[in-house]
Amino acid sequence: MLLGSVLPVAGTAADNAALALAVLQRGREASNAADPKEPWLFDLATTVYRIYRRSGRVEDRAEAMRLIAAYYALMPTTGAQAGIFSLANQDDTKYSYATPALIFEAEGGDQRFRPHVQAIAAAHARIEPVAYSPSQGFWTERRIAYAIGETLAWHLMSGDTQSLVRARTWGDQVLAMSVADGVPWHTVRQHQEGDDADLITSPWMGAILADKMHALHRVTRDNRYLDWIARYALYIARYGVRDGAVLPGGGWSGYMLPAYLVGDRALPTTGGWASGVYGRGWSDNGGWDDGEHAQDIAGLMARGVFAAKRLGRPASEQAELLAAHAGLRRTADYVFSYRTNATSPARKFQWWFGSTQESGWLLAQ
């Protein structure tokens, strides 16, 4: 099954499991009547299972299994919506996850969700272009990340070689977009953050993509995917993270804040997206919005440290990544001390803990 290829290795290291358990709210899949699909975004079931892999608590495993079954009950296998979450729009693949079924099958040998996963893999293949074009209508790090990771999960379940080829094709698309400096530059318009052709990347979506590129490396042993992680993380550490002292209004001095989007122009000396200019900066709402992404981008830095070590990249780069990780983790701890009582919207739980469960292990290698 190669479950360890797409999930953190099992072990006794707690990493962020204790903190995640303090935040976790049971039964959240029905907690948002206004938008019932929202709590499932960023793969709720897999996030809870990842916590189990670190906590070792049988109740966390049971919760993950319950969520997996509840998730696939909402996943059509036939018709126009096949492979697309029934609560989402017909072309919205960011809710289409195969990894929970891989977990379910690996845990007990039950193959009941294979038709769902086959439909999900087909949906990603149908919707996500194999080659990037600046003129295509939509592209985000998040969507191609799930195309890679969930297609890879289907390959691991079924042995389907074409799925591995397709996952590698998407991984190679990211590499081709990132030749210059490790960043998959795409336009503001394609990211649906405005209507211009300025080039940007989303660090928090890049953290999700790094998780899936790491899974691709684990399966293929192709070091190009590991190299991309190291280069991308280093770019974000250098140009996408800043001391909050420069933000208007104060209160964030000494805390490292990640930019919501990073552009290919100079970092402004003040925060925000004033006058709609997309350079490198923070969200309009200041430190809290961007501070809430400190946890997941710290996870990106941990993955970058691991990749840099494995590839023998310069010690100075490793030190930069370690420093960025430490600064972002300090910010995350500050944010969690204020924001853990009401996780709203519920999807925050997944982006905080979905790809960060092995951070301690990655840093220790």
Side-chain angles (χ1 to χ4, degrees), residues 116-349:
H116 302 78
V117 177
Q118 189 169 17
I120 286 167
H124 283 292
R126 182 177 71 251
I127 293 170
E128 190 67 32
V130 296
Y132 169 77
S133 168
S135 62
Q136 74 188 59
F138 185 67
W139 194 96
T140 66
E141 297 88 349
R142 171 175 58 185
R143 196 163 86 166
I144 199 167
Y146 287 119
I148 292 169
E150 309 320 306
T151 303
L152 190 63
W154 174 235
H155 161 71
L156 293 172
M157 290 177 70
S158 67
D160 178 50
T161 56
Q162 285 304 307
S163 292
L164 179 58
V165 170
R166 190 173 295 114
R168 293 199 68 161
T169 298
W170 282 318
D172 291 350
Q173 178 187 143
V174 174
L175 298 182
M177 295 171 67
S178 309
V179 168
D181 45 24
V183 180
W185 296 116
H186 55 288
T187 69
V188 169
R189 185 179 301 112
Q190 289 171 321
H191 207 87
Q192 296 186 344
E193 294 284 351
D195 193 29
D196 60 67
D198 286 357
L199 297 178
I200 51 92
T201 184
S202 165
W204 69 270
M205 288 191 185
I208 300 170
L209 178 55
D211 182 33
K212 306 305 183 183
M213 292 287 271
H214 196 176
L216 193 55
H217 168 263
R218 283 167 161 161
V219 173
T220 65
R221 298 301 174 185
D222 189 333
N223 279 341
R224 296 179 305 150
Y225 305 128
L226 209 57
D227 182 66
W228 179 84
I229 294 169
R231 295 175 68 216
Y232 183 74
L234 188 65
Y235 191 95
I236 300 304
R238 288 176 172 174
Y239 304 114
V241 181
R242 253 195 110 158
D243 191 325
V246 301
L247 283 176
W252 289 95
S253 180
Y255 288 99
M256 302 308 294
L257 292 171
Y260 184 73
L261 295 176
V262 175
D264 64 339
R265 293 182 289 172
L267 190 68
T269 56
T270 59
W273 298 106
S275 304
V277 175
Y278 288 83
R280 300 184 179 107
W282 295 270
S283 300
D284 286 331
N285 293 331
W288 281 113
D289 280 3
D290 293 330
E292 289 194 338
H293 281 296
Q295 166 81 353
D296 43 304
I297 299 176
L300 168 64
M301 296 304 151
R303 211 172 293 281
V305 170
F306 174 87
K309 286 181 180 178
R310 284 295 173 95
L311 297 173
R313 295 184 70 89
S316 59
E317 293 184 6
Q318 298 177 35
E320 284 185 70
L321 291 166
L322 278 167
H325 175 269
L328 288 163
R329 277 295 309 147
R330 180 172 179 269
T331 301
D333 289 343
Y334 175 70
V335 170
F336 290 147
S337 70
Y338 285 91
R339 290 292 176 102
T340 56
N341 290 331
T343 308
S344 179
R347 65 179 179 267
K348 289 180 181 179
F349 182 81

